Amino acid sequence: MEERYRPEAIEGKWQRYWEKKRLFRAQEDPTKEKYYLLEMYPYPSGAIHMGHMRNYSIGDVVARYKMMKGYSVLHPMGWDAFGMPAENAAIESGVHPAKWTYENIDTMRRQLKRMGFSYDWEREVATCDVEYYRWEQWFFLKMLERGLAYKKRSLVNWCPSCQTVLANEQVEGGFCWRCESEVTQKELDQWFLKITHYAQELLEYCDKLPGWPERVLRMQRNWIGKSEGAEIRFPLENSKESITVFTTRQDTVFGATFMTLAPEHPLTLKLSKGTSQEREVREFVERVKRQSIAGRTAEDTEKKGVFIGANCVNPMTGARMPIFAANFVLMEYGTGAVMAVPAHDQRDLEFANQYGLPVIVVIQPPDRSLSEEIMTEAYVDEGTLVKSGQFSGMDSVGAREAIVQYLEKNALGKRSINYRIRDWGISRQRYWGAPIPIIYCHRCGMQPIPEGDLPVALPHDVEFKSGGGSPLAECLDFVETQCPKCGGDARRETDTMDTFVESSWYFDRFASPRYNQGPLDKEKVDYWMPVDQYIGGIEHAIMHLLYSRFFARVLGELGLVRDKEPFTRLLTQGMVIKDGAKMSKSRGNIVDPEYLVSKYGADTARMFCLFASPPERDLEWSDQGVEGSFRFLNRVWRLIFENHHWVREAKPYESKSLLDGDLKVLRQKVHKTIKKVGEDIERFHFNTAISAIMELVNALYLFKPKKNGDPTERSVLKEAIEMVTLLLSPFVPHIAEELWETLRKGESIIKTPWPDYDREAIVEEHILVVVQVNGKLRDRITVPSSMGDEEIKGVALEREKVRRLIQDKAVQRVILVPKKLINIVCA
């Protein structure tokens, strides 16, 4: 053993050893309990960043710990490999997306291996591999058969520079998240997956995920957005047609004074046609189309509208209601029409004030009286109905039920449930994605690709143009084909799938990544799934996790998976921040993990990530923290270096030996540490687990042997030093392996069972009990741990301090928290 700790001399050695021995190879073993640990796989951007290092260090601790606990562990890694950055590289530097992607994968794989993570690399997948996305195309065809995939014309966010559709989440302040071009709206034929079919079930199962953070579940519930209310039909003036709205506040219908339509609503242009408003309405609609959907609904966006030259009638009051097109109303939500009740909706009130529209109070609060003339803020809470015909005097809740019954009885509307969630638009106008397996024939129409003709592989020889857009549409060798039904000339679909499709089932594929008889080997999937612990950022709380839950249900109906929920427990780790901001190239505050590993070693980098902050909180970068972690590992190294010669020869401690004094205290410390570290790892409290090991190391340095060479003393010290090494191994595996080899010359430390603590050893002989009088701390007493409750009460009542405070007062009762606290309550 070298005197100096040199991570560069040992880390590569152990990484090669693990790989040669295939120690992290996952195997289905029915005699063992399984544990599937998965961190969200990365996009192969070209380099691992500190966020990756933190995320994967968290997962690796648990995976290694579970291996040592005797579980059959699956801990895989793969690559979310499709996406726009690869196409951008092709445009900017002429490198084909496939070449760019696979070179980045090679680089990042090398970086991950250098960090010593316990991945089963034999299960590695890249979603851009045709053998992966062929099954994705198969899923699409199965969904098409079941009516879960369909095509329709839809208004979308459009980046004119990237020439592709953007999700709302990819629009930042009205601009493209990638190229910062102004985003517009465009109507396109788009493919959708019918996630709304499972809306109610997805919502209900949010209550069946106790291992998920409540914050994430709340975000999912809000995104699904179940609303119970009513559909109400507002007849058009001088017409047999009507406008249908959905509202959760039918108790306010008597206060509806105008109607707002989405600019893209079919009635907007239809009703304005031939009126004096036609030109103004058309110009308004065109102007709104240049706004992004996200921008239109933003809180700080100015609410604008235009009268369309038509009116409708309030079915409850008979009053005329002017109809406006408004930029904040979306066709995708509800019915694309909103009854405006300005007294009881703030947005409607601001709009009414801007355009001089009437305000009618129909709900009065219990504590004051509202007046329309002086209203500056809408009243949106419950209350008592006024100016509401036969429903006046009713409370809001009761009125909502009574009004919906009235609507149904008089054929004016009906009870209705609405969901905020919309079907998943998966069409993307780009090259680097999974082709949608559809053919268009001018005779037979749209035709699915026969399953026997899968996969539809991306052509390699394509030309990327600086103006953006997908080169697939220009690649005639790809586009031109034959109709599978009539054999005539046909063309392929040139849109590719949203990359969220790939990430919605990759965790299933890890169970049988080389299986080629179908997408999944059900026997192996049933063994490994669901994922026991999933780890990733809060930014994926909605889209990725919701789509994965949707896919689990579809695959279940296809007979491919057993479980409705793919992830049993979820941890959303915090960000890594430096100088008060999230690390990013644009801020110039990044720390390169490769530099960190080169200077200090992977174990130091891992320890800092795990010790500096609890996983769910943000990690503040600290150079001093890194140095402190390195010093601690040097201290552990020195401890073993100074003692390894005799430790190897000492006999294991046998509990039959009676201990006393400092030796007994040390052994108690060892076993308390074993207990705490195990419990803390189970709870992901890695910082406190490491702190407990540090305290044990301090105790070993402070321990002064009383008898030179005493066998019992050496046996206890041997146990203590070995336990330090074992307990550290999930956190800092390289140094732990090296020290374990030095101490025992046995097999890998990962093959050593996790230690059990000795319950007798951690029993305290004496306990400290806090004494209160009338709830205030007055004394502390130390008593034998074997003393009973009544005896402890007697000791407390006899204490001089307590007697002086009580004097002649009557003791009404004595409250005891066993072994911790006594509260003496006096009159």
Side-chain angles (χ1 to χ4, degrees):
M1 181 183 185
E2 292 188 24
E3 183 175 358
R4 262 183 69 239
Y5 169 49
R6 293 193 308 120
E8 70 277 9
I10 65 170
E11 291 187 344
K13 163 190 168 181
W14 287 106
Q15 289 158 16
R16 290 187 295 273
Y17 175 86
W18 297 329
E19 189 165 358
K20 181 181 178 182
K21 297 288 187 180
R22 302 169 80 186
L23 289 183
F24 307 130
R25 184 187 182 203
Q27 292 180 298
E28 298 79 21
D29 186 344
T31 66
K32 287 185 177 182
E33 188 174 353
K34 68 91 181 178
Y35 194 86
Y36 186 175
L37 186 288
L38 183 64
E39 305 99 0
M40 294 180 186
Y41 65 173
Y43 179 77
S45 58
I48 294 296
H49 54 67
M50 285 305 301
H52 290 129
M53 178 168 240
R54 186 187 190 199
N55 187 9
Y56 303 151
S57 295
I58 290 167
D60 200 53
V61 171
V62 180
R64 288 175 175 274
Y65 168 76
K66 291 294 184 180
M67 289 178 202
M68 296 174 75
K69 291 286 284 184
Y71 287 79
S72 183
V73 174
L74 173 57
H75 188 206
M77 175 50 68
W79 312 97
D80 191 7
F82 275 138
M84 282 293 291
E87 284 188 62
N88 298 338
I91 294 168
E92 294 164 8
S93 59
V95 179
H96 193 279
K99 185 176 189 297
W100 184 87
T101 299
Y102 283 110
E103 285 179 352
N104 286 351
I105 286 173
D106 289 342
T107 298
M108 293 173 71
R109 185 192 302 111
R110 175 187 57 77
Q111 291 176 319
L112 290 176
K113 286 186 174 182
R114 192 178 178 192
M115 294 169 190
F117 299 130
S118 59
Y119 296 127
D120 179 357
W121 286 105
E122 295 178 31
R123 292 176 182 257
E124 179 183 13
V125 298
T127 59
C128 62
D129 288 347
V130 69
E131 287 306 311
Y132 182 88
Y133 68 75
R134 69 171 298 177
W135 299 115
E136 193 169 305
Q137 294 171 339
W138 186 84
F139 293 147
F140 177 90
L141 294 177
K142 292 301 179 185
M143 290 191 212
L144 190 65
E145 288 175 8
R146 287 162 170 74
L148 295 174
Y150 65 93
K151 194 172 191 180
K152 73 169 184 177
R153 197 156 189 81
S154 174
L155 195 68
V156 296
N157 295 315
W158 179 258
C159 175
S161 175
C162 297
Q163 292 284 296
T164 191
V165 170
L166 300 175
N168 285 345
E169 294 73 30
Q170 295 170 323
V171 181
E172 298 176 350
F175 296 91
C176 174
W177 67 285
R178 187 194 64 81
C179 70
E180 299 184 351
S181 298
E182 188 172 1
V183 174
T184 63
Q185 292 179 59
K186 188 173 184 177
E187 272 199 323
L188 287 176
D189 291 327
Q190 296 280 286
W191 282 100
F192 291 83
L193 300 183
K194 202 169 185 179
I195 191 173
T196 54
H197 179 70
Y198 302 94
Q200 182 60 32
E201 185 177 316
L202 289 167
L203 182 64
E204 289 174 356
Y205 269 73
C206 285
D207 296 330
K208 300 177 182 180
L209 294 168
W212 285 39
E214 182 54 39
R215 177 187 178 192
V216 174
L217 293 172
R218 185 170 60 249
M219 292 168 75
Q220 293 225 342
R221 291 186 186 105
N222 291 341
W223 189 261
I224 296 167
K226 181 180 181 180
S227 301
E228 297 185 18
E231 283 187 2
I232 307 175
R233 289 189 292 279
F234 288 73
L236 290 171
E237 195 175 56
N238 304 318
S239 171
K240 292 182 179 180
E241 291 187 69
S242 62
I243 297 174
T244 300
V245 305
F246 171 81
T247 178
T248 59
R249 293 299 304 270
Q250 58 267 27
D251 53 324
T252 67
V253 65
F254 285 84
T257 60
F258 61 97
M259 178 71 66
T260 51
L261 297 180
E264 58 271 22
H265 195 292
L267 288 176
T268 299
L269 293 177
K270 179 181 176 181
L271 294 178
S272 67
K273 191 172 184 179
T275 72
S276 60
Q277 293 293 105
E278 181 177 2
R279 181 177 176 182
E280 187 178 354
V281 171
R282 192 172 297 280
E283 289 175 350
F284 177 78
V285 170
E286 290 302 315
R287 199 158 56 244
V288 172
K289 280 185 178 179
R290 292 194 290 273
Q291 290 182 277
S292 70
I293 295 169
R296 283 169 56 184
T297 55
E299 291 272 337
D300 56 352
T301 298
E302 185 181 358
K303 309 301 184 281
K304 292 185 177 181
V306 61
F307 175 56
I308 69 169
N311 301 284
C312 62
V313 177
N314 187 319
M316 303 298 279
T317 66
R320 169 191 273 190
M321 296 169 54
I323 305 171
F324 283 74
N327 64 343
F328 54 84
V329 182
L330 299 180
M331 194 64 208
E332 298 298 312
Y333 295 99
T335 64
V338 177
M339 71 171 198
V341 187
H344 304 291
D345 183 279
Q346 188 61 31
R347 187 177 59 183
D348 293 346
L349 180 61
E350 292 169 5
F351 193 91
N353 290 338
Q354 186 175 352
Y355 292 96
L357 298 165
V359 179
I360 301 174
V361 172
V362 293
I363 306 276
Q364 287 287 0
D367 58 345
R368 64 189 189 280
S369 181
L370 301 176
S371 172
E372 293 93 344
E373 289 76 18
I374 59 173
M375 263 188 117
T376 58
E377 186 176 326
Y379 179 71
V380 298
D381 296 324
E382 311 286 353
T384 303
L385 271 67
V386 297
K387 301 178 187 175
S388 297
Q390 68 191 70
F391 306 102
S392 293
M394 296 182 70
D395 66 88
S396 297
V397 176
R400 284 199 284 274
E401 177 59 28
I403 288 172
V404 80
Q405 289 181 13
Y406 178 90
L407 292 169
E408 290 180 328
K409 182 179 178 181
N410 293 277
L412 298 173
K414 63 179 181 178
R415 193 182 311 272
S416 182
I417 294 175
N418 194 53
Y419 294 92
R420 179 176 180 267
I421 190 173
R422 289 296 174 262
D423 284 338
W424 175 10
I426 63 164
S427 294
R428 296 295 180 267
Q429 295 68 41
R430 60 163 185 259
Y431 164 77
W432 196 233
I436 296 174
I438 291 293
I439 286 174
Y440 301 98
C441 174
H442 69 278
R443 288 198 199 99
C444 308
M446 185 183 73
Q447 296 295 315
I449 298 283
E451 289 182 22
D453 292 345
L454 295 179
V456 179
L458 283 171
H460 186 82
D461 190 13
V462 292
E463 182 181 354
F464 295 90
K465 298 178 181 178
S466 58
S470 170
L472 280 180
E474 307 295 324
C475 182
L476 297 183
D477 287 345
F478 176 79
V479 174
E480 294 178 351
T481 187
Q482 284 76 47
C483 173
K485 188 174 182 181
C486 72
D489 291 343
R491 62 180 180 85
R492 293 188 189 278
E493 172 66 75
T494 57
D495 282 357
T496 55
M497 296 191 213
D498 179 10
T499 55
F500 275 120
V501 177
E502 283 90 64
S503 61
S504 295
W505 69 285
Y506 79 106
F507 39 86
D508 291 310
R509 185 66 178 170
F510 276 138
S512 53
R514 306 295 169 251
Y515 187 66
N516 60 13
Q517 303 303 306
L520 303 169
D521 182 333
K522 189 172 187 305
E523 185 179 351
K524 292 186 176 181
V525 171
D526 284 350
Y527 178 84
W528 289 114
M529 288 296 290
V531 174
D532 294 282
Q533 181 67 61
Y534 199 33
I535 304 172
I538 192 68
E539 66 272 17
H540 299 295
I542 298 174
M543 310 307 286
H544 163 57
L545 292 171
L546 201 55
Y547 293 154
S548 298
R549 297 180 64 214
F550 160 64
F551 249 73
R553 282 152 176 80
V554 175
L555 269 55
E557 291 177 3
L558 292 173
L560 296 171
V561 302
R562 176 193 57 210
D563 303 289
K564 282 185 178 290
E565 292 296 337
F567 314 118
T568 302
R569 286 178 292 278
L570 174 70
L571 172 72
T572 53
Q573 88 283 355
M575 298 183 297
V576 181
I577 58 176
K578 186 173 186 284
D579 305 325
K582 179 183 177 181
M583 281 190 182
S584 69
K585 288 182 180 178
S586 61
R587 294 189 179 96
N589 66 344
I590 63 169
V591 174
D592 181 7
E594 288 231 276
Y595 164 77
L596 197 62
V597 172
S598 296
K599 184 174 181 181
Y600 296 101
D603 283 340
T604 294
R606 291 165 61 118
M607 172 157 276
F608 169 72
C609 288
L610 297 164
F611 180 60
S613 175
E616 69 278 4
R617 296 184 187 171
D618 290 345
L619 169 64
E620 178 72 50
W621 178 261
S622 164
D623 292 333
Q624 294 82 4
V626 175
E627 290 282 356
S629 296
F630 186 62
R631 283 197 302 272
F632 171 70
L633 293 183
N634 273 279
R635 202 159 182 250
V636 173
W637 183 275
R638 191 165 64 252
L639 176 70
I640 276 68
F641 176 77
E642 292 173 354
N643 295 284
H644 74 280
H645 295 294
W646 65 260
V647 169
R648 288 176 60 174
E649 304 304 324
K651 292 182 179 180
Y653 173 74
E654 293 182 1
S655 56
K656 294 176 183 177
S657 307
L658 295 176
L659 302 177
D660 57 19
D662 291 345
L663 203 57
K664 184 174 183 178
V665 170
L666 177 62
R667 189 163 190 271
Q668 184 180 71
K669 180 72 171 175
V670 169
H671 286 270
K672 281 187 173 182
T673 305
I674 295 170
K675 181 176 185 289
K676 179 167 180 55
V677 172
E679 291 173 348
D680 282 355
I681 290 176
E682 294 281 0
R683 297 181 298 171
F684 284 73
H685 292 182
F686 305 134
N687 56 329
T688 54
I690 293 170
S691 179
I693 301 171
M694 289 177 170
E695 290 178 15
L696 178 56
V697 171
N698 289 340
L700 279 164
Y701 268 100
L702 291 171
F703 182 81
K704 303 298 181 187
K706 292 181 178 178
K707 300 175 183 177
N708 188 27
D710 178 72
T712 300
E713 189 173 73
R714 287 202 163 186
S715 292
V716 171
L717 286 169
K718 173 188 178 76
E719 180 187 45
I721 289 171
E722 287 181 349
M723 289 306 107
V724 166
T725 311
L726 273 172
L727 297 179
L728 276 174
S729 64
F731 305 97
V732 285
H734 306 91
I735 189 173
E737 287 277 23
E738 187 71 15
L739 297 178
W740 194 249
E741 181 186 57
T742 300
L743 292 171
R744 285 200 169 193
K745 285 186 178 286
E747 61 181 346
S748 168
I749 198 169
I750 200 74
K751 291 292 187 181
T752 306
W754 186 259
D756 289 323
Y757 63 90
D758 184 339
R759 284 163 175 75
E760 291 184 10
I762 65 172
V763 173
E764 296 278 2
E765 289 190 356
H766 291 83
I767 55 173
L768 182 68
V769 178
V770 171
V771 181
Q772 296 179 341
V773 177
N774 290 333
K776 292 184 179 180
L777 175 64
R778 296 303 187 188
D779 202 357
R780 293 182 177 88
I781 57 176
T782 301
V783 298
S785 59
S786 59
M787 184 175 282
D789 292 347
E790 293 303 318
E791 291 177 283
I792 294 173
K793 287 181 186 179
V795 171
L797 288 167
E798 290 299 317
R799 296 282 288 183
E800 180 63 31
K801 286 183 181 179
V802 174
R803 293 176 65 181
R804 193 167 57 247
L805 285 164
I806 294 175
Q807 295 181 356
D808 297 329
K809 296 173 186 174
V811 176
Q812 293 182 331
R813 66 183 187 277
V814 178
I815 302 168
L816 178 71
V817 179
K819 310 294 184 183
K820 290 184 179 180
L821 177 145
I822 285 180
N823 182 21
I824 301 166
V825 181
C826 301

